[in-house]
Amino acid sequence: QSACFDYLSLGGIYSQGPISLLGGLNPRPFVLVAHFFMVALYGIGRLLKPFPTPRGVVIGWQLLMGACAIILPIIRAEGIVAVFAPYLSRKPQVPLAAKKHQQDQDQTEEQTESGVHKKTN
Protein backbone atom coordinates (compact mmCIF):
# COMPACT_ATOMS: atom_id res chain seq x y z
CA GLN A 1 0.00 0.00 0.00
CA SER A 2 2.74 2.41 0.91
CA ALA A 3 4.69 1.51 -2.25
CA CYS A 4 1.63 2.31 -4.37
CA PHE A 5 1.08 5.63 -2.59
CA ASP A 6 4.74 6.58 -2.93
CA TYR A 7 4.71 5.57 -6.60
CA LEU A 8 1.73 7.84 -7.29
CA SER A 9 3.41 10.61 -5.26
CA LEU A 10 6.27 10.66 -7.78
CA GLY A 11 3.93 12.56 -10.10
CA GLY A 12 4.33 12.96 -13.85
CA ILE A 13 3.90 9.80 -15.89
CA TYR A 14 3.88 7.77 -12.67
CA SER A 15 0.54 9.25 -11.66
CA GLN A 16 -0.84 10.32 -15.05
CA GLY A 17 -1.23 6.76 -16.36
CA PRO A 18 -3.03 5.26 -13.34
CA ILE A 19 -5.28 8.31 -12.94
CA SER A 20 -6.26 8.21 -16.63
CA LEU A 21 -7.15 4.54 -16.20
CA LEU A 22 -9.26 5.27 -13.12
CA GLY A 23 -10.99 8.16 -14.87
CA GLY A 24 -11.84 5.99 -17.88
CA LEU A 25 -9.82 8.24 -20.20
CA ASN A 26 -7.39 5.51 -21.21
CA PRO A 27 -8.96 2.16 -22.10
CA ARG A 28 -5.72 0.41 -23.13
CA PRO A 29 -5.03 -2.69 -21.00
CA PHE A 30 -1.28 -2.47 -21.64
CA VAL A 31 -1.12 0.74 -19.60
CA LEU A 32 -2.75 -1.07 -16.68
CA VAL A 33 -0.32 -3.98 -16.91
CA ALA A 34 2.71 -1.71 -17.27
CA HIS A 35 1.87 0.47 -14.27
CA PHE A 36 0.86 -2.57 -12.22
CA PHE A 37 4.30 -4.11 -12.67
CA MET A 38 6.02 -0.75 -12.24
CA VAL A 39 4.38 -0.39 -8.82
CA ALA A 40 5.41 -3.95 -7.91
CA LEU A 41 9.00 -3.35 -9.02
CA TYR A 42 9.06 -0.01 -7.20
CA GLY A 43 7.99 -1.83 -4.01
CA ILE A 44 10.66 -4.49 -4.51
CA GLY A 45 13.26 -1.78 -5.05
CA ARG A 46 12.25 -0.13 -1.80
CA LEU A 47 12.68 -3.46 0.01
CA LEU A 48 16.20 -3.90 -1.36
CA LYS A 49 17.22 -0.23 -1.29
CA PRO A 50 19.90 0.19 1.40
CA PHE A 51 21.33 -3.26 0.69
CA PRO A 52 19.63 -6.56 -0.15
CA THR A 53 18.98 -8.83 2.80
CA PRO A 54 17.77 -12.42 2.57
CA ARG A 55 14.49 -11.37 4.20
CA GLY A 56 14.08 -8.49 1.71
CA VAL A 57 14.74 -10.82 -1.23
CA VAL A 58 12.14 -13.30 0.05
CA ILE A 59 9.52 -10.60 0.60
CA GLY A 60 10.33 -9.09 -2.80
CA TRP A 61 9.86 -12.50 -4.45
CA GLN A 62 6.55 -12.94 -2.63
CA LEU A 63 5.46 -9.48 -3.77
CA LEU A 64 6.33 -10.30 -7.39
CA MET A 65 4.52 -13.66 -7.25
CA GLY A 66 1.47 -12.00 -5.67
CA ALA A 67 1.43 -9.37 -8.42
CA CYS A 68 1.67 -12.08 -11.10
CA ALA A 69 -1.15 -14.03 -9.46
CA ILE A 70 -3.36 -10.95 -9.73
CA ILE A 71 -2.53 -9.65 -13.21
CA LEU A 72 -1.84 -12.82 -15.24
CA PRO A 73 -5.46 -14.07 -15.11
CA ILE A 74 -6.58 -10.63 -16.30
CA ILE A 75 -4.11 -10.75 -19.20
CA ARG A 76 -5.27 -14.26 -20.05
CA ALA A 77 -8.94 -13.18 -19.99
CA GLU A 78 -8.33 -10.12 -22.18
CA GLY A 79 -6.07 -12.04 -24.54
CA ILE A 80 -2.31 -11.72 -24.74
CA VAL A 81 -2.41 -10.20 -28.23
CA ALA A 82 -5.16 -7.75 -27.25
CA VAL A 83 -3.07 -6.51 -24.30
CA PHE A 84 0.40 -6.30 -25.83
CA ALA A 85 -0.39 -5.77 -29.54
CA PRO A 86 -3.97 -4.46 -29.82
CA TYR A 87 -3.46 -3.45 -33.45
CA LEU A 88 -3.11 -7.16 -34.32
CA SER A 89 -6.24 -8.32 -32.52
CA ARG A 90 -9.66 -8.50 -34.10
CA LYS A 91 -12.25 -5.90 -33.28
CA PRO A 92 -15.21 -7.22 -31.29
CA GLN A 93 -18.17 -8.23 -33.41
CA VAL A 94 -21.16 -5.91 -33.08
CA PRO A 95 -24.53 -7.68 -33.09
CA LEU A 96 -26.77 -6.80 -36.03
CA ALA A 97 -29.44 -5.16 -33.83
CA ALA A 98 -26.87 -2.84 -32.23
CA LYS A 99 -25.46 -1.97 -35.66
CA LYS A 100 -28.96 -1.11 -36.94
CA HIS A 101 -29.63 1.03 -33.85
CA GLN A 102 -26.34 2.92 -34.40
CA GLN A 103 -27.24 3.54 -38.05
CA ASP A 104 -30.65 4.92 -37.00
CA GLN A 105 -28.97 7.24 -34.49
CA ASP A 106 -26.50 8.44 -37.12
CA GLN A 107 -29.34 9.22 -39.54
CA THR A 108 -31.21 11.14 -36.84
CA GLU A 109 -28.08 13.17 -36.04
CA GLU A 110 -27.53 13.95 -39.73
CA GLN A 111 -31.11 15.11 -40.10
CA THR A 112 -30.84 17.29 -37.01
CA GLU A 113 -27.57 18.84 -38.20
CA SER A 114 -28.97 19.58 -41.67
CA GLY A 115 -32.08 21.18 -40.17
CA VAL A 116 -34.47 18.57 -41.58
CA HIS A 117 -36.99 17.42 -39.01
CA LYS A 118 -39.69 14.88 -39.58
CA LYS A 119 -43.17 15.98 -38.57
CA THR A 120 -45.14 13.43 -36.64
CA ASN A 121 -48.91 13.72 -36.75
Side-chain angles (χ1 to χ4, degrees):
Q1 291 172 348
S2 63
C4 184
F5 180 76
D6 291 343
Y7 177 82
L8 292 172
S9 297
L10 294 173
I13 63 167
Y14 303 107
S15 62
Q16 182 181 3
I19 298 303
S20 69
L21 287 165
L22 287 171
L25 301 173
N26 189 346
R28 293 179 292 181
F30 177 74
V31 175
L32 171 67
V33 172
H35 282 286
F36 188 83
F37 277 113
M38 286 170 60
V39 169
L41 293 174
Y42 182 77
I44 292 169
R46 287 183 48 186
L47 285 169
L48 304 176
K49 191 173 184 177
F51 58 91
T53 62
R55 183 174 183 265
V57 171
V58 169
I59 294 172
W61 179 256
Q62 290 172 341
L63 179 64
L64 184 61
M65 291 300 103
C68 288
I70 292 169
I71 202 71
L72 290 179
I74 296 171
I75 294 172
R76 195 173 299 119
E78 288 287 328
I80 294 171
V81 174
V83 172
F84 295 107
Y87 50 87
L88 295 176
S89 65
R90 284 193 240 168
K91 302 291 183 215
Q93 296 295 321
V94 178
L96 187 58
K99 193 179 285 186
K100 174 74 172 133
H101 179 69
Q102 184 63 40
Q103 288 172 347
D104 291 345
Q105 282 184 333
D106 292 343
Q107 287 176 350
T108 304
E109 288 175 6
E110 288 173 7
Q111 289 173 352
T112 304
E113 289 174 1
S114 65
V116 177
H117 296 284
K118 291 182 180 178
K119 291 185 180 181
T120 56
N121 295 334

